[in-house]
Amino acid sequence: MIQPTLLQPADRRLAAAAIASILLLGSARLLLDIFKTNHQPHLSTIHNKPSPPPIFLSPADRRSFSPAKCNPFEGQWVWNDDHNVTSSSSPSPLYTEDSCPYLVKQTTCQRNGRPDGAYQRWRWKPAGCELPPFEAAKMLDVVRGKRVMFVGDSVMRSQFESMVCMVQAAVPRGARSFDRVPPRKVFRAGGEWDVTLEYYWAPFIVDNHTVHKRLVSLDAIDKHGATWKEADVLVFESYVWWMHKPFINATNYDRYGSPENIREYDVATAYKVAMETWANWLEANINPRRQSVFFMSMSPTHLWSWEWRPGSDGNCFNETYPVEPAGRPYWGTGSNLQIMNIIGDVIGRLRRVKVTFMNITQLSEYRKDGHTTVYGERKGKLLTGEQRSDPKNFADCIHWCLPGVPDTWNHILYAYLLHSYRS
């Protein structure tokens, strides 16, 4: 078991302040989406098409990846240039900022002035196998006629946008659309596929009364769940909003549907109750014969450079290479093992529904170079020159540049979906 370094009280206060300011980005972006909705076309209906022939599985698809034989979350980052891309690997990056019109300004680091681009050229290589080469058309084939929904906070929104960018070039321009219907975003691939990729904003997974005051309903989820239950593939994530402070205000509903018994919980206790509410919802609403469920582990933060470079006093700003493992796995203080164990225990006790736990934390821990730092947004606006000159206070070491690390999360998700189809 990896033992995390305990934060001192002063560090906890700094972490809370950093996380609080950066989390404002998510809700600010949501408000912008609401305003933009007035200028977006209404969701259109895609007519069903005759089913085409089954997917062609190449020899590389058939032999490359099996969860029973290979743990895709253990491995190393390898430099991916034009000379070492083989038939069994995928180029990095799989798209560019210019080739994908669906990225928000928060993630387009190059366009926002980041001078280096090496963070886009690293490829994750599992220790005991190769991931199948990512093919956009094949990904769409695997989920043909289905709804794939990403549920969580702004980190999950980046994973959703990453997946959209990874597949959109395979869809003819006239057969694809992108709509904002807060709290959702919906990408539709029409034509022969009839696929929707969706994002649903639910940072705590359970219902919440107010986000900024962090008042959540630990035993209520049906408000969100009404939208989720018809999805064919559900990908959940919930972590960083819980880490704002050591305590959180939570409540339950009375028989009239009004909040009552508001009290303060320590975060670990509240998270456990919330995840049990989610698990109960899964057992009551998910059809395991028709639906697939995934849960993404926590996305790590890189708020303190002393964790990987002892004696320094910075953060992820100006980091251009991954952390060197130095013979053992690197684990930062921003990743909470107690929370990891809670979700693992909750998933392990499910009886009827299988949830695939996507343990992306360790592989992402190495990528201190992949964050937006000062080349993103704050409160819906790009940082000013004065703010960029003060990375100690304004660097975002939570969110990721795109193309970037979330593309790898989706590549592994693709491998699981392709394996499930193949099986």
Side-chain angles (χ1 to χ4, degrees):
M1 176 68 71
I2 300 167
Q3 295 299 323
T5 303
L6 295 178
L7 291 182
Q8 298 302 313
D11 290 329
R12 291 195 188 99
R13 289 192 294 272
L14 286 171
I19 291 173
S21 61
I22 292 170
L23 290 180
L24 289 173
L25 293 170
S27 46
R29 171 57 56 187
L30 184 64
L31 289 173
L32 287 175
D33 289 340
I34 293 173
F35 289 126
K36 289 179 180 178
T37 301
N38 295 329
H39 304 286
Q40 294 291 326
H42 293 291
L43 291 175
S44 54
T45 300
I46 300 177
H47 299 289
N48 292 326
K49 302 290 184 181
S51 296
I55 303 170
F56 171 73
L57 296 177
S58 69
D61 294 330
R62 294 184 183 279
R63 68 172 181 264
S64 61
F65 173 73
S66 170
K69 299 178 181 179
C70 166
N71 180 354
F73 307 107
E74 293 181 355
Q76 62 180 328
W77 290 97
V78 296
W79 180 252
N80 214 33
D81 59 28
D82 294 337
H83 300 290
N84 66 9
V85 176
T86 68
S87 60
S88 61
S89 64
S90 297
S92 295
L94 290 164
Y95 58 91
T96 67
E97 291 180 7
D98 291 335
S99 71
C100 184
Y102 307 112
L103 294 173
V104 298
K105 286 190 296 184
Q106 184 181 354
T107 63
T108 53
C109 299
Q110 295 281 294
R111 190 176 301 155
N112 299 340
R114 179 166 175 166
D116 66 299
Y119 64 91
Q120 301 178 350
R121 303 303 298 271
W122 294 95
R123 175 174 63 87
W124 178 249
K125 187 181 186 309
C129 63
E130 285 282 352
L131 294 175
F134 185 87
E135 298 180 47
K138 193 168 291 183
M139 172 64 193
L140 293 169
D141 282 336
V142 168
V143 293
R144 184 189 303 275
K146 299 182 184 297
R147 292 176 62 193
V148 181
M149 185 174 290
F150 297 81
V151 179
D153 55 28
S154 53
V155 173
M156 179 56 83
R157 187 197 65 221
S158 293
Q159 185 176 352
F160 156 77
E161 291 172 351
S162 160
M163 181 62 86
V164 170
C165 291
M166 289 167 72
V167 304
Q168 57 92 26
V171 185
R173 190 176 299 273
R176 63 185 191 233
S177 66
F178 191 94
D179 300 292
R180 297 175 178 86
V181 187
R184 297 162 59 209
K185 291 186 175 184
V186 182
F187 173 80
R188 294 181 182 272
E192 63 183 278
W193 287 297
D194 190 18
V195 169
T196 63
L197 303 178
E198 306 180 33
Y199 164 69
Y200 188 99
W201 165 259
F204 299 103
I205 293 187
V206 292
D207 296 345
N208 54 272
H209 298 287
T210 60
V211 173
H212 294 303
K213 294 182 180 180
R214 299 174 77 245
L215 177 59
V216 299
S217 300
L218 298 179
D219 62 347
I221 200 170
D222 289 340
K223 178 181 175 182
H224 292 324
T227 304
W228 308 340
K229 63 174 58 177
E230 296 304 320
D232 299 282
V233 179
L234 282 160
V235 186
F236 290 96
E237 172 269 343
S238 183
Y239 176 63
V240 73
W241 279 87
W242 294 92
M243 297 295 106
H244 176 37
K245 293 180 180 178
F247 298 93
I248 189 169
N249 293 320
T251 183
N252 51 27
Y253 285 109
D254 62 22
R255 59 190 178 128
Y256 303 107
S258 300
E260 65 173 3
N261 300 328
I262 297 175
R263 54 171 285 198
E264 188 175 71
Y265 289 77
D266 70 87
V267 163
T269 299
Y271 189 83
K272 183 175 184 292
V273 175
M275 293 303 102
E276 289 172 343
T277 297
W278 166 75
N280 291 335
W281 181 89
L282 292 177
E283 295 279 50
N285 292 277
I286 294 300
N287 180 350
R289 294 182 179 180
R290 184 182 68 83
Q291 295 166 291
S292 301
V293 183
F294 297 84
F295 192 97
M296 310 298 296
S297 67
M298 64 192 72
S299 171
T301 62
H302 294 90
L303 300 173
W304 299 284
S305 63
W306 54 259
E307 295 181 341
W308 59 84
R309 192 165 51 252
S312 61
D313 188 35
N315 51 33
C316 66
F317 177 68
N318 263 356
E319 296 291 343
T320 57
Y321 290 92
V323 173
E324 294 286 344
R328 62 183 180 85
Y330 167 77
W331 191 272
T333 56
S335 298
N336 189 311
L337 281 172
Q338 184 180 17
I339 294 295
M340 183 88 89
N341 291 333
I342 287 171
I343 188 61
D345 179 64
V346 169
I347 290 175
R349 287 187 281 111
L350 288 167
R351 294 181 177 273
R352 197 178 64 86
V353 177
K354 176 186 176 182
V355 174
T356 300
F357 185 62
M358 304 287 284
N359 191 357
I360 54 87
T361 306
Q362 182 66 82
L363 69 89
S364 306
E365 283 279 8
Y366 300 116
R367 295 304 307 277
K368 60 182 172 61
D369 59 314
H371 294 286
T372 58
T373 68
V374 297
Y375 304 106
E377 290 182 312
R378 178 162 294 209
K379 297 182 180 180
K381 295 181 179 180
L382 294 176
L383 268 61
T384 65
E386 182 178 358
Q387 290 171 327
R388 288 188 179 188
S389 66
D390 184 14
K392 188 72 180 287
N393 290 308
F394 287 95
D396 179 350
C397 298
I398 294 176
H399 297 95
W400 304 91
C401 298
L402 291 178
V405 173
D407 302 335
T408 293
W409 306 344
N410 282 326
H411 194 169
I412 298 174
L413 176 63
Y414 165 75
Y416 272 92
L417 292 171
L418 185 62
H419 174 78
S420 178
Y421 178 89
R422 183 181 68 197
S423 300

